[in-house]
Amino acid sequence: MLPPSADSLNVLARIRRWFGLRQDELAEYLGVSPVLVHSIETSRRGLSQAVGAAMIPLARQLPNPIALLDAPLPAGLPLDAPAPDAGELDFRRRVCLQRADRLRAQAGKLARQAHLAQRWQQALPALLPPPDAPDAEQAAWLTRWLHRRARPLSVEDVTRWHRLLAQA
């Protein structure tokens, strides 16, 4: 087992953030327990050779420069917009803003899902096991798992995204 290093910890966290994986999902991909992924990320455990080798294909899919991952997401509407003079207009404005925020948040979840699927789709050729993999059952499982991750939004979800933004 290798001692914890800032690079390996950062790569695990960046892989999870880039591909939108929870710790348990990354653990499933790596073939380890979620507790081990958490322990590695919190520097309680070192990175084993096997886990390091299993995460290399994902790490190779991270964009360059890596700093792109740490860039903040664009902000929404400014919160310091002046309130109208009339109380009723201010109340209506707040109600509308709350509803619009909920609609944009729903649309944002769909957009994130679409972008993550696109990342998985781009990474798919490098991540799929070879046809002559020694463990055919594990290779079949991994292939199904990766294809589920790379599944694009349905036509219904794309239509819903456009409708949510129009409503917001």
Side-chain angles (χ1 to χ4, degrees), residues 2-12 40-41 43 45-47 55:
L2 302 174
S5 73
D7 289 339
S8 64
L9 305 178
N10 289 338
V11 171
L12 269 181
I40 293 170
E41 283 191 3
S43 301
R45 301 259 324 252
L47 190 64
M55 71 180 220

Side-chain angles (χ1 to χ4, degrees), residues 40-61:
I40 293 170
E41 283 191 3
T42 57
S43 301
R44 291 188 191 132
R45 301 259 324 252
L47 190 64
S48 70
Q49 295 277 340
V51 173
M55 71 180 220
I56 287 173
L58 288 175
R60 287 184 178 148
Q61 301 304 311

